[in-house]
Amino acid sequence: EADAPVANTCVDGQIPLHKLVRDLALPDNYERPTNRRRLVGNNRRHYDGRYQYRSWRASLYHAAFIFFVMLMCMGTWISFFAGTGSIQEPLKPSMSEVEAYMLSERSMDSTKKPLCLVAFSISASEPRMMVLRNMCGKLMSWIYQRKFTLSPRAPNYKGVGDAAEAKAEEPPATEYVEFIDIFTDEGHRVGVYALWDAFADVIHDADLRFVEDMANKMTTMAATDDRLLSKKEDDGLCLDDELRAMAADKPDEFCITQEQIDQFELAFATYDLLTALGHPAFWREDGMVKVKGFRDYASDPAACKVLRKWAANFKKERKKTGNPFAPNCAPTTDDAISQDTWNTWWDLYDEIGRNQWVKRFDCTKFRRVRLHYDRSQHGNSHHRDLMMCYTARANPEDLKIQLGPTVQRRGIVKGVFVRLKDATTAHADATTALYKKHGIRPLSRGEARRCHARVVSKKIMIQVGKTKIACVKVKECTPDLLTVLPPKFLVNNGVADAESADESGALLKSANGAVEDFQHQGEEAIIPLELLTPLRESRGKSGGMNQTMEILNFYLRHHSSTMRAIKKNEYIANATKAEANARPTSTTLDAVPIPAKSKTKDAKACLLFAIFDCRHMATQGYWDVVVPYFYRYQHLNNPWSRELAIDRPVAFVQLPQTFNSLTIDNDIFDMRNEYLFRLANNIRSGVGAITSCGTNAVWNYDILFQENPLEHRFNEDTMIEDTASSHDVIIEGRKGVYHFERLVLGARKGTTDYLAAVFRWSRGAVQLFWTTFWFPRYKYIWPYAMLCVHSLPIVGITVYLQLTKLDRCHQTAMTQRLGWIPCRSGPFLGLIGDPVFIIYAVVMITLAGSSFVYHRLGAFTVMFENVTYFFTSVSAFYWTSLPVYICIAKRGVPPVFDTQLLTIGALWLQAHSAGLIYLIKGWSPLENGNAPSDQSLLRSQQMYIVTAPLHFLAIVFGMKDGFDICFRRKDASRWSSFDSIMAMTAVKVWCFTLFAVLCVAIVWGVANGIIYDDGLEERGVRALGVFFCLMLLFIVWTPVRAMFFYDTVIKNKEKSSAMDRITAAFFGKKQPIRPDYLYLLLWCFLIIFSFQRNRLGESEGIFNGRTRCSIDPDAAGCEDVNFAKFTRLSGEGLVQ
């Protein structure tokens, strides 16, 4: 008993009366205590205080819960918003119609646009087998149904009778189609050049059935495989016994000589050795370097044996020493190769190869080869001329170990390599005038790229006559640059004296003091800025691709049959009728002038540029599937017309990535990305918002009739040039198209390399977020429009529902004023009946429907998701920590929620997502008669949690990159395929920690349920925490085990588990159990449970709920209830 009675209290004066007695039963003169400000007056959100947060912890957890639920809703809305499976576009022509149109011999040739097909691949550090696999795949892509792409289907026969005896009229080879194969080596490796050169020799005038058999043996290879899977032993050679027998036993049929095979095998065996030697002359004799190359020894078996031994020794000793002439490496004492040759090789390596001097210059090689398929057949259908090109970009930066932090900057700044401008750009006239002003002869692009040096100073102003010229100091000048520069620019030429009074010496005379300083530092020249341009605008993949565009410009302008066809069309269009019928000769076409700049932007030809990353191999039929997408019927209303035209709005066609060696069951880390390539891309294609994934895409470029026929350049701002370039063309009003057919087979990466790629993709997306939203530089309106259209309504309604107050009838002020919701119908109806919420629902439904009509809205939404998706990954940390806290907490969970509202909302979200996924699966194409597997959805959910730290790190690093890109002109485009240490370490630490914490939380939660004698409410909360921990453990169990025991997990996957047998018994086939199914069952159970307990008057639910009678005292059965039930909040004691 209390020592002194306290007014209006009970239980020893510890509990205020208003905590135990209804408001109606309180005395009229009762005053509530004022020490709890949140529970009095207008600060209460509900009339009985049911939504109050009685501690900072409760407020914090509630705010976090609302924020991450809002983030999840925005992510779900944006992900499912854009796209439609019902594509309403005109019918595309078939490949047969395209071939008939391109091969037709009609008089109106000027209306037919030439077509140039380019198969492009790029590599930086891939091993030799991946390089060879890629080259074989590109050759196979030209073939379909035993003929080459865009060739006649069959010869035309004259007469009647036996076709075998009839004479075939072979249609002429079309001059309107040209094939080009380009291999870009960003690593500038001599081994790649040697393999390309030997491969070109093998296929020239040979039968591609040999390459076809070799390609068939490479389909299931992984990126780490270094020999054909059909070979049991690694003998350092490429071909197996079957392929060698084919070439040796049937030389007349395949037209491949033994010498060509020996050269090819030697190039393959010495791949790494040649790269270390560092000069192309080690493989093929160079006109400037008189050295006998490895290629010349291919016909000598003894010498070949020595060279292969050298390569094998270097492979073993490479980690110890990088010197290929180390004592235990080079067999210099072998008599098969003369000592003079060894001495010559050593001198070349010591002078040039050791410091990789060749990497300072571009290397471009062209080879024209004739391809045959089944040489026993005759006619143009079975042979094709192909222009092959090998190119390697100058890379002097990699030769410098310490260049300082400014090396990654764009523009002409200290530490960057610069070159002289060339006179073949779009501003050729201005450049030529500039050269004339400074006394330098105009340079071609090839000459200008050999004239480069490194900037070693900031911009300096030098007085020349009456004007000041901005200049920079340079060193490490190439010999070509020193030869081209006039003496007035040089430092150590003996003319830098103060008495030089003529115009040529004015520059050095004005900068005499600086010159002496300059000489002391070892600098070599002072060059005006107006003469210079960066040697490499971008060090990333996009820079190499744009370098290829420059090479294509040179080839199209000077050597391409496509340009001759354009000239022919221009001649016919401008000639008289008699001249056009006479057909122009070669001399006549050579006389047709090419303007420096086209007066119009009308395309005179079309270039289809296919991109294959080095780890991907195309298969037969690739071009035959892709080419028709870029054509349309000119007269859609005339069913008899077969006139075609290039469909310019189609910017590119994307095909999925596929890994034959990786089935969907064994794809533990979602490398196949089945959800994107099987589901999401099919609906994105409906609004023309496909974004290129960097490989397996064909781009559509205009070829203009001018000095630089190609004006397109890939986006160089970020690491993900594919997505950024896709956004550029979508903003222009063009579109991407998706075709689901597995015609390109990739070689899967290792786990560590794939996780590094996930980190790079996310980091590049953060960089793209900056470049997209940074208005002063890029001036894009659409991201802000999408932010207002999609994000602001969700944020606004969330904030409104949190700030609004409910009265005794469970209604907001606006709902009560309108009076369309009955009193005490529950908070759920009270909130959704609010006019603001109704307006919000109408707006969102209207937006969803508008994407079916206005496809640009859907396209912009896809782009908005591409630059913001990484933000939703942060919520993975919260959703994994919340159930852990529930299990470990001693008393319940801080937030107090309306159970019916929570369960109804969660059930609606899960059901709606499941319904949308079901709809999308119905839109997706069948594969082998099967719909997309639920396994792809399970994998994406698993990787959402597993890769959460990678996305977080990407946000951290990407934000810094984005700031530097926008404000410091940083070149952040470079990346490496095998830079995986940080990514793998972060994921392993995260997975191990998460697994351990979940296990501890489950045990702790069960122990708390046994130790503490709580009511049903507390036990229900704790049971939910244990359930969600088990669900998270179920989701990450397989990836976590595979992270440490990959081989064991794969072997177990090959066996049928108990769960597989159970699902097969119920569904007729093995069916993965997705967490969505379990969540749906859980929320259905909870909502039924809460309604049932509310009906019985026991409780509204298990989230620290209120009784039914405390909410509605006048309800049936509540007349005799005088006291409310108690619930306990952790640290707050008994509250109502």
Side-chain angles (χ1 to χ4, degrees), residues 77-87 679-690 847-855 857-862 865 916 919-920 923:
W77 169 261
I78 295 174
S79 297
F80 287 115
F81 173 84
T84 171
S86 55
I87 304 176
L679 299 173
N681 272 356
N682 286 290
I683 62 171
R684 289 183 174 190
S685 187
V687 294
I690 288 296
L847 282 175
S850 62
S851 67
F852 288 87
V853 179
Y854 184 60
H855 288 177
L857 177 61
F860 285 136
T861 304
V862 171
E865 182 189 9
L916 288 175
L919 179 63
I920 294 172
W923 282 338

Side-chain angles (χ1 to χ4, degrees), residues 194-207 210 238-239 247 250-251 254-268 283 295 298-299 304 308 367 369-370:
L195 190 60
W196 173 86
D197 181 71
F199 184 75
D201 284 339
V202 169
I203 65 175
H204 177 54
D205 213 23
D207 196 324
F210 176 82
C238 176
L239 304 181
K250 301 178 181 179
F254 294 104
C255 293
I256 300 176
T257 64
Q258 187 60 43
E259 182 180 2
Q260 291 173 336
I261 294 295
D262 293 339
Q263 291 177 0
F264 173 73
E265 292 281 22
L266 185 60
F268 184 84
W283 168 250
R295 186 175 182 271
S299 57
C304 281
R308 282 197 284 267
R367 294 281 301 276
V369 298
R370 169 156 290 193

Side-chain angles (χ1 to χ4, degrees), residues 1029-1074:
C1029 284
L1030 287 171
M1031 287 299 303
L1032 289 171
L1033 200 60
F1034 164 74
I1035 292 175
V1036 303
W1037 170 246
T1038 301
V1040 169
R1041 283 196 306 144
M1043 199 76 64
F1044 300 93
F1045 312 104
Y1046 182 80
D1047 295 335
T1048 303
V1049 173
I1050 294 299
K1051 289 181 180 179
N1052 293 338
K1053 280 287 183 181
E1054 297 175 355
K1055 303 176 184 177
S1056 180
S1057 64
M1059 185 61 68
D1060 293 337
R1061 292 191 292 270
I1062 293 174
T1063 55
F1066 276 93
F1067 303 104
K1069 63 178 181 179
K1070 182 175 66 173
Q1071 186 76 13
I1073 300 299
R1074 281 170 36 206

